Amino acid sequence: MTSHPSAELATFASVLRYEDIPAPVLRRCEDLLLDTLGSILAGARSRPVLSVDKFARAMGPGDGAAEVLVSRRKTSPLFAAMVNAAAAHMVEQDDVHNGSVFHPAAVIFPPVLAVGQALGASGRELLTAAVAGYEVGIRIGEFLGRSHYKIFHTTGTAGTVAAAAAVGRLLKLDPRQMLDAFGSAGTQAAGLWEFLRDAADSKQLHTAKAAADGITAAYLAQDGFTGARRILEGAQGLAAGMSSDADPARLTDRLGTRWALSETSFKYHASCRHTHPAADALQQVLREHALAAADVARVVTHVHQGAIDVLGPVVDPRTVHQSKFSMGSVLALIALRGHAGLSEFDQGLKDQDVAAFRDKVSMQLDQEVDQAYPARWIGKVTVYTQDGRELQGRVDEPKGDPGNTLSRAEIEDKAVRLGTYADAASEEEMRALIQWAWRLADLDRVGPLLPS
């Protein structure tokens, strides 16, 4: 097989072994998996997820080996992954990789779990497949660059190929088959940001389809179905159609020595990641100066262009989900409630105090922040007080970033809060899932996670 970036990346995903992966990376993968299970269950009762589940019930088999976590029924891997992936991205608590501006977990763990259950895969096989998906998806997101993210939702685009890589590893595709899977996944890759202007449900469709289309691509490749050999960097490939600053060198950046999965961040606030740096910086100012919300006259957030592109269209949030993409709404919850969590967003949508504080918040492009992005997400705010002071806040690593990460105890606590949020699981069931995740590497077979 001719060597080129797409082929090298496909070969890496195909031949990756559990023994090749450093122990800290595997432990981090377990952390991310547990975090994702909590996110899936937290999204279980939301209307968009229920719509996807209803569609899956109508179109998919009524029985199978793969588990739909949100409704505790069984179906085929494709439809189970579709529903679980939609749920994983619903409450804005799933992980993010800064440099690629990509949410890997929502499009990798649902298909890996569903296919792993259907195949009777071991815990080690599941972890290896997930790592392969992370390493592929993150590099593709970095390759596609900032111009791509301005219009396209990278989790839907790069995520489709990431899902194919993960499932392909479970299916034990050889390098040529894996490259075919990349080709079929890449030609299906989609996801546009326009939905934000209308408070539409498309974000859940992005992850649902990325997971399902990745499964489709991998299974077709196993059967000999061919795909474009240079789907990523080719003359009419992904970058040609979706990017103006693509860098093919990012596709193979230190494969096997740089473990991009370990660079992934946990989301502390239940909102779009672009709001987190400013939220942490505002918390810092409020805490250090003992300020209440009423003491604040206005807040200027100093942000990168990507934040303006994604958050700028949301000026009057009409749904809870849309409010998570409003910088003003998020900072209002920080100032008024001290935290921007799931219940705070539920209660804050129609709160007049939240709306009033939202109107005090503005975004301003900052050259330092913009130049550091996306490798670093710096948080800077200027707070103007009612008594005439001008106060500065700065956070270089938001809570959840690798250098300011969550401990396993904090990850467990978050998972329990998420899993019980919509009554999709009991605390006892979440405690059992926690123990399952920490024992995963020793399991000979991945079976059902929740009782029917």
Side-chain angles (χ1 to χ4, degrees), residues 50 55 63 82 95 115 121 130 156 219 240 289 297 307 322 324 330 343 398 436:
L50 293 175
F55 171 81
D63 195 18
M82 176 182 284
D95 69 351
V115 173
Y219 272 86
H289 297 275
Q322 195 182 33
K324 297 182 178 191
V330 175
S343 60
W436 174 87

Side-chain angles (χ1 to χ4, degrees), residues 33 38 79 159 206 267 289 348 367:
L33 172 55
F79 285 99
H206 295 174
K267 289 180 76 172
H289 297 275
Q367 288 303 314

Side-chain angles (χ1 to χ4, degrees), residues 66-82:
E67 186 177 15
V68 181
L69 291 171
V70 305
S71 52
R72 303 199 184 201
R73 62 186 183 86
K74 302 290 181 59
T75 186
S76 68
L78 187 144
F79 285 99
M82 176 182 284

